Amino acid sequence: MTTRIIGTGHYAPEHVVTNDDLAQFLDTSDAWIRERTGIHMRHIDIGEGTTAMAAKASIRAIENAGISPEAIDLIIAATSTADEVLPNTASMVQKEIGNSHCACYDLNAACSGFVYGLNTAHAFIKSGMADTVLVVGSETMSKIVDWNDRSTCILFGDGAGAVVAARDEEGIESVVMGSDGRSGDIIACDARTMENKWGARPVKNPFMIMNGQEVFKFAVRKVPEAIHELLDQAGMKADQIDHYILHQANERIIASVAKRLGVPMERFPVNLFEYGNTSAASVPILLDEMNRRQLLKRGDKVVMAGFGAGLTWGATLLTW
Ligand code: UT7
């Protein structure tokens, strides 16, 4: 027995900010952003927030799975931009979808968050602790980036993606997860509250800071490594995979991973031109778009992979 994805959904805010819009207040240009990243625009939240987006994506995934919300026995919300410290995002999603009993918790592994969540759901299902798990990645990156820092803010967008994962005979074949906290300062953002009645921890990074070049180097080295580990576990070769659904951070990173794996770029779907980097939401948004366009056929081999702050990485290989 393993874990199959039986439903997908996504949601992105209606408000769109183009590269030209950014060039109105930043020293940048549409040409630079397109050439260096592949991004043309991003959806930006103007007041809904991470929980509401997560709930909308989740409702779509549950409808797509054709199950009752009450059938879900665990909700994992992957986010690093929760609306509230308490209660957790997953419990608020639970309320919105109409489930009143299941376990709920949030997981923060930055841009690897959705893959971490899916792999965790698989562990629960394999151990017999859960049968049906909702995994949702939702992010309001627009509230943690510094809109005066052209080297980071141009990359990010907001949105949510969700899957329903359930016990089945075919599905997840191998998983990889890891982190190297020694490089934690390459992407960082402090929590908003840093003081109590007796003292304060100095706030170093009130908004996200990122060493783009170091993240780039990490991604093009670590993602192929993780995928090779994943393929070895399953006894498969890179060219046997039909779809590589990678975290959508930069088109040049995706192209470099494709080259290193020796797999044509056509097997690496890309939608970052519309969404930018939506962190934990990027993989499930792309997965849902492919599912709804009927680009995923039963039996197809799919690899998903994420990387980000931590520095974390995670990958999953499954049969659709
Ligand atoms: O989920 C993980 C999240 N993070 C990532 O995936 C980030 C990975 N890294 C990247 O995507 C790229 O490193 C960036 C897109 C962030 C930057 O691209 P780059 O090709 O590495 O550019 P760079 O940092 O080497 O900067 C080249 C030049 C610099 O100017 P000088 O020093 O050569 O005069 C920058 O100041 O481009 C300048 N620059 C910009 N120019 C116009 C940086 N950002 C911009 C901008 N518009 N938005």
Side-chain angles (χ1 to χ4, degrees):
M1 277 292 170
T2 183
T3 305
R4 181 190 283 281
I5 291 178
I6 62 166
T8 63
H10 86 271
Y11 174 80
E14 257 176 50
H15 186 67
V16 162
V17 174
T18 64
N19 295 342
D20 282 332
D21 292 334
L22 296 181
Q24 303 281 320
F25 60 90
L26 282 172
D27 180 14
T28 189
S29 66
D30 179 52
W32 192 96
I33 300 172
R34 280 182 194 237
E35 192 184 307
R36 300 290 177 119
T37 70
I39 298 165
H40 302 182
M41 62 183 84
R42 68 286 293 140
H43 294 255
I44 295 289
D45 176 47
I46 52 171
E48 283 186 291
T50 296
T51 301
M53 293 193 297
K56 287 180 178 169
S58 299
I59 288 167
R60 290 174 183 175
I62 293 164
E63 282 170 1
N64 185 244
I67 61 160
S68 155
E70 290 291 357
I72 293 166
D73 41 26
L74 171 64
I75 301 174
I76 300 172
T79 186
S80 36
T81 52
D83 296 335
E84 291 140 10
V85 175
L86 299 169
N88 65 49
T89 308
S91 293
M92 294 296 92
V93 169
Q94 179 196 33
K95 177 178 155 194
E96 296 301 320
I97 65 169
N99 175 300
S100 54
H101 61 86
C102 72
C104 294
Y105 61 84
D106 292 5
L107 175 161
N108 179 353
C111 304
S112 311
F114 173 76
V115 176
Y116 264 58
L118 182 61
N119 292 353
T120 307
H122 178 51
F124 269 84
I125 289 171
K126 259 190 106 170
S127 71
M129 282 176 66
D131 288 325
T132 309
V133 184
L134 172 68
V135 183
V136 55
S138 184
E139 303 278 16
T140 318
M141 299 305 288
S142 59
K143 75 183 179 194
I144 66 165
V145 298
D146 177 354
W147 288 102
N148 295 312
D149 176 3
R150 67 175 184 173
S151 65
T152 56
C153 73
I154 53 114
L155 296 171
F156 293 94
D158 302 332
V163 303
V164 178
R167 180 184 302 274
D168 205 332
E169 273 161 24
E170 233 181 5
I172 292 182
E173 297 187 19
S174 55
V175 298
V176 166
M177 286 192 284
S179 183
D180 184 353
R182 290 173 304 177
S183 305
D185 57 354
I186 290 179
I187 312 177
C189 181
D190 285 347
R192 288 289 188 270
T193 309
M194 305 295 280
E195 59 185 61
N196 62 20
K197 186 173 161 58
W198 297 274
R201 180 176 174 271
V203 176
K204 281 186 297 186
N205 307 306
F207 292 101
M208 185 202 290
I209 51 117
M210 180 180 74
N211 182 332
Q213 287 187 359
E214 286 304 314
V215 179
F216 197 102
K217 281 191 256 169
F218 159 74
V220 300
R221 175 179 56 81
K222 185 48 84 177
V223 175
E225 252 175 51
I227 291 175
H228 277 304
E229 198 183 329
L230 194 70
L231 292 166
D232 287 349
Q233 273 182 41
M236 294 185 71
K237 298 273 173 244
D239 65 359
Q240 291 175 281
I241 302 301
D242 300 291
H243 314 281
Y244 284 91
I245 301 182
L246 301 196
H247 171 47
Q248 302 287 297
N250 185 323
E251 199 171 15
R252 288 189 294 136
I253 294 177
I254 297 172
S256 168
V257 172
K259 197 169 165 206
R260 284 177 192 225
L261 290 173
V263 174
M265 191 60 186
E266 297 83 75
R267 293 201 211 166
F268 288 74
V270 174
N271 68 358
L272 54 74
F273 54 84
E274 177 183 340
Y275 297 96
N277 177 346
T278 56
S279 188
S282 77
V283 169
I285 290 176
L286 180 53
L287 187 72
D288 183 49
E289 286 194 333
M290 294 189 65
N291 189 23
R292 283 172 198 264
R293 288 184 193 149
Q294 302 186 335
L295 297 173
L296 302 169
K297 294 189 297 296
R298 188 129 187 164
D300 278 1
K301 301 290 181 193
V302 179
V303 161
M304 289 178 260
F307 63 88
L311 294 171
T312 56
W313 60 92
T316 314
L317 192 167
L318 57 80
T319 303
W320 190 254

